[in-house]
Amino acid sequence: MSLPSDHPAIDVHTHKGKECPVAGKTHAWCPAQPGDSRSPCPALNTLANHGYIARDGKKLGLFDLVSGLKACYNLSTPLAVFLSIGGFVLLRRFSKLNLHDIGRHGRIEHDASLVHRDTPSGEQYAPIDINHELVEELVADAKTGDEDGPEGPEAGDQRSLMDASDVARARIRREKDSPPLDAVHAEIARGEMAIILGVWETKAGKKTGVPTEWIREWIGHERLPKDWAPTHVQGLKDVVKRAKSIRVEMDEQRLAEKAEKADVVDEAGQVELVVEKPKL
């Protein structure tokens, strides 16, 4: 993939005073260096690590983000513009921004991230370091894949895929351990993964979803999977549809969990009655 001919030149970050060996030449991966700006958003950090936006993550304009999102993830122009303008508005920034600005707690960033710990009380900016225990828990939530038996592949198997039901399971798990999300940030949280499901969706046999190894590579290392290439343009309507499907799955799974707990309580009550019934 390459950037549009009218895309601004990509800034060159440095390695201990030396020019980066890949910056400005290819879209090869290079992790953030000391002094680079990064955010809690793996999608944007990946853009910088692959040079689709300034590799140092600094002085980014609206057009930089729109062009980078289109070139890297093959997002449609309306979707890329919507995300970029929405980000600037929520951050209350109207000129340039650094990726670090996106981590301002309570603007775009939210608690119950799938791969970051919650923002500590009193802190203005969220943690940007990937928590790899959370990454593995996310991968383990994926239970969709080719069935080679009645149970199918075990959770976390390389053949497993992640779909809306798996994302819903992960979101419920994380939201149980975090402060409640307001309606806006709950929608943002679902939308983030809805985009990824749409961009990387593939098929394995009769199943459809995102390979968990791609998820582990991208969200765990902020690096594009080496065997991935865009196959379609991802549009705004599809993201809205997928976000809704995640919400519906979350509602259904929560109802099922409540029903299961009610059954357990009911069974426990019946046992107690039997035990306490006096002998005649």
Side-chain angles (χ1 to χ4, degrees), residues 255-266:
L255 285 174
E257 183 176 345
K258 287 182 180 179
E260 184 177 352
K261 288 182 178 179
D263 289 341
V264 171
V265 171
D266 185 57

Side-chain angles (χ1 to χ4, degrees), residues 60-75:
L60 301 170
L62 181 66
F63 183 68
D64 299 322
L65 293 181
V66 171
S67 297
L69 289 169
K70 290 176 61 179
C72 180
Y73 298 116
N74 218 23
L75 303 190

Side-chain angles (χ1 to χ4, degrees), residues 173-185:
R173 172 177 53 79
R174 285 293 291 131
E175 290 179 21
K176 286 180 180 178
D177 299 331
S178 300
L181 296 177
D182 58 60
V184 172
H185 288 95

